[in-house]
Amino acid sequence: MSQFSYVNDLKSAVRMDEPITSGPAPRWMKKSVESTSSSANTSRKTNELMPIKKTPSKTPNKSKSPASRSASNTPAKPKTPGGDRFIPSRMSTNFDISHFKMNQENENLDLSPTQSDYRKAMSENLHGCDINNVRVLSYQNKAPAPPDGYQNALKVVYSQSKTPMNVRGATRYIPHAPDRILDAPEIVDDYYLNLIDWSFSNILAVALGTSVYLWNADTGAIDQLLDLEGADYVTSLSWVPNGNLLGVGTALGPVQLWDASQTKRLRIMNSHSSRVGAMSWNSHILTTGCRNGQLVHNDVRQREHIVGTIQSHTQEVCGLKWSTDGRYLASGGNDNLLNVYSGLPGQATYQSEPIYSFSQHQAAVKALDWCPWQTNVLASGGGTADRTIRFWNCNNGQCINSVNANSQVCAILWSKTYRELVSAHGFANNQLTIWKYPSLTKVAELTGHTNRILNLAMSPDGSTVLSAGADETLRMWKCFLPDPNKKKEHEKRSSRPTMLGPGLR
């Protein structure tokens, strides 16, 4: 029987699925027993030495020094995200679904809607979610947010412009250099005067001291129209719309009317006793404004030319403009007022008192112009203490918009080609600024004058703007050239024959 007991002991010794009860304990078991016993002894000694306090003490520890207390109260500095890299938890990744999606074959089965819905429902039941919306690598624990005030030093490497390339490419080209520069010696450097104007026949009138010169933009010819005598000098110019008559205001008060085509003075109108700094035409009515704040309506067809007088400004009138439809007249003065009047003398709507008087500007209001496509919208600009361009709806007397120009506004002109306007400025850049309307974003800034710009004038076709500067130069800017593609389309439409019905030829 002894050989059977020996065989049983041998089988039990080589059996691997049961724990070995005989022999010394393994090393890892000894380590775990030692660590458990040491932690138990430590906790027992601590409990014996340190009695447990149920109520926390409110008395601060007096043994601490002020330095140690301040150090303990100082909050810990947040770690910089670039110092310790973020290692996401891989346990949040569903590797079963990821393995299935990476190894599944692309099945292109033509299934009916009912069969596809059934397969989708079965997949959701098996996997617990829609596997089509599960990513192969997706971590539920996101990277921690950086502390307040942290700036990434590598941000400039991958930063990009906010303006798309296709938007920037759609902007038309605007030359930033003047197309032509003309000398204007002895031009009077006075903010309140209006010394240039461009006629519909493409003739530019410029007042230089006591003289008025005419420059033909088609031929380049220059002619002297007049030369005043004594202490008198020219203070304002204005062409009649669609004509060759030029109104000339003087420092002593009389207003002269000249026929430029014949170089002949037609008449002198003694409307004012002080200098006439602004004038504007409305058909056959020439409205003039002088230094004492008076406005006079002159009918150039009549011998008794004064048909209306308005006294609404207390200081010099430096801005004057009739609207394109002749419904409104705007006047700006050195008293920081902008007045709007209604109708012509002799009409039922004529009023000698302003229908609106705006006092929002904080400086002299010289820059005035009416919108060509919204005849009730007026743009006005203030002087050095104001530096603001404002837009008014003269149907209801509301200020519909404004923009800070950051410099003295000397003149404003609306474009005839685009929904834009150009403004002329003084200190500090002496520039022309083109604004998009109604967004009032800057399209371009044209620099070149070394002193403030006094006046602006526009060519008859609306493509060129002329600026007169106190640096005694006249500069022409082709800033409103029409789009060549739109111009070709317009020419094609105009060249098409007009289809007339029977009896209309």
Side-chain angles (χ1 to χ4, degrees), residues 83-146:
D84 298 330
R85 61 191 179 93
F86 169 68
I87 302 177
S89 176
R90 295 175 61 87
M91 298 303 295
S92 60
T93 306
N94 195 334
F95 286 99
D96 295 334
I97 296 179
S98 302
H99 183 271
F100 173 75
K101 294 188 66 177
M102 293 175 66
N103 291 278
Q104 70 177 349
E105 296 181 356
N106 296 326
E107 297 180 357
N108 296 323
L109 300 177
D110 297 333
L111 301 176
S112 64
T114 306
Q115 291 175 342
S116 61
D117 293 341
Y118 176 75
R119 289 171 64 91
K120 184 178 180 180
M122 290 293 294
S123 175
E124 291 181 357
N125 292 332
L126 290 174
H127 301 285
C129 61
D130 186 7
I131 62 173
N132 295 325
N133 297 328
V134 175
R135 296 182 180 180
V136 175
L137 295 176
S138 61
Y139 297 99
Q140 297 178 358
N141 298 329
K142 297 182 179 180

Side-chain angles (χ1 to χ4, degrees), residues 348-366:
T349 59
Y350 172 72
Q351 296 180 1
S352 59
E353 296 296 327
I355 56 175
Y356 304 116
S357 185
F358 305 115
S359 59
Q360 282 84 341
H361 286 289
Q362 305 300 316
V365 183
K366 176 190 177 183

Side-chain angles (χ1 to χ4, degrees), residues 164-464:
M165 292 298 294
N166 56 355
V167 176
R168 286 183 289 176
T171 306
R172 74 181 191 278
Y173 171 71
I174 300 176
H176 284 69
D179 182 67
R180 182 175 295 184
I181 301 177
L182 304 176
D183 291 329
E186 298 181 7
I187 190 170
V188 181
D189 183 9
D190 195 327
Y191 174 80
Y192 304 99
L193 306 183
N194 296 272
L195 304 176
I196 60 173
D197 199 14
W198 209 327
S199 73
F200 87 106
S201 57
N202 210 12
I203 296 177
L204 177 68
V206 184
L208 302 178
T210 60
S211 304
V212 175
Y213 293 89
L214 303 179
W215 179 72
N216 192 322
D218 295 329
T219 63
I222 300 176
D223 298 318
Q224 183 176 1
L225 182 64
L226 63 93
D227 188 14
L228 300 179
E229 299 177 353
D232 203 3
Y233 60 93
V234 181
T235 55
S236 58
L237 296 174
S238 182
W239 288 100
V240 67
N242 303 325
N244 294 317
L245 297 182
L246 179 66
V248 180
T250 62
L252 297 181
V255 177
Q256 301 184 12
L257 189 62
W258 286 77
D259 186 351
S261 60
Q262 302 179 5
T263 317
K264 179 181 178 181
R265 186 178 67 188
L266 301 180
R267 66 184 303 179
I268 297 177
M269 297 178 290
N270 295 312
S271 304
H272 303 279
S273 59
S274 57
R275 74 176 187 180
V276 180
M279 57 177 60
S280 181
W281 288 87
N282 187 356
S283 183
H284 54 275
I285 300 294
L286 176 62
T287 304
T288 55
C290 70
R291 196 166 196 170
N292 60 13
Q294 187 184 45
L295 299 178
V296 175
H297 298 295
N298 301 278
D299 190 343
V300 298
R301 304 172 301 174
Q302 301 181 13
R303 181 168 182 169
E304 300 296 331
H305 53 86
I306 299 178
V307 293
T309 303
I310 301 175
Q311 186 71 49
S312 57
H313 289 279
T314 58
Q315 296 187 37
E316 183 171 9
V317 178
C318 51
L320 201 60
K321 201 78 169 182
W322 277 99
S323 61
T324 53
D325 58 358
R327 293 177 55 196
Y328 300 108
L329 172 67
S331 67
N334 195 29
D335 52 2
N336 306 346
L337 289 179
L338 171 61
N339 295 329
V340 179
Y341 314 87
S342 175
L344 278 170
Q347 295 181 351
T349 59
Y350 172 72
Q351 296 180 1
S352 59
E353 296 296 327
I355 56 175
Y356 304 116
S357 185
F358 305 115
S359 59
Q360 282 84 341
H361 286 289
Q362 305 300 316
V365 183
K366 176 190 177 183
L368 295 174
D369 200 23
W370 294 88
C371 180
W373 63 88
Q374 285 181 300
T375 55
N376 61 306
V377 175
L378 172 67
S380 62
T384 306
D386 184 69
R387 306 180 182 185
T388 305
I389 301 175
R390 299 182 181 273
F391 299 87
W392 312 88
N393 184 352
C394 293
N395 287 342
N396 53 22
Q398 298 295 323
C399 180
I400 56 180
N401 211 339
S402 65
V403 60
N404 186 5
N406 296 318
S407 58
Q408 179 188 43
V409 184
C410 304
I412 293 175
L413 285 178
W414 288 90
S415 173
K416 302 177 183 178
T417 312
Y418 302 94
R419 296 294 178 101
E420 298 172 355
L421 68 153
V422 58
S423 57
H425 302 277
F427 181 81
N429 296 326
N430 309 313
Q431 84 282 9
L432 280 79
T433 303
I434 301 176
W435 307 86
K436 198 78 175 177
Y437 186 83
S439 62
L440 298 181
T441 56
K442 287 186 180 181
V443 179
E445 285 192 350
L446 310 177
T447 58
H449 283 283
T450 59
N451 209 328
R452 68 178 175 181
I453 301 174
L454 300 173
N455 300 110
L456 291 179
M458 185 174 288
S459 61
D461 60 356
S463 63
T464 306

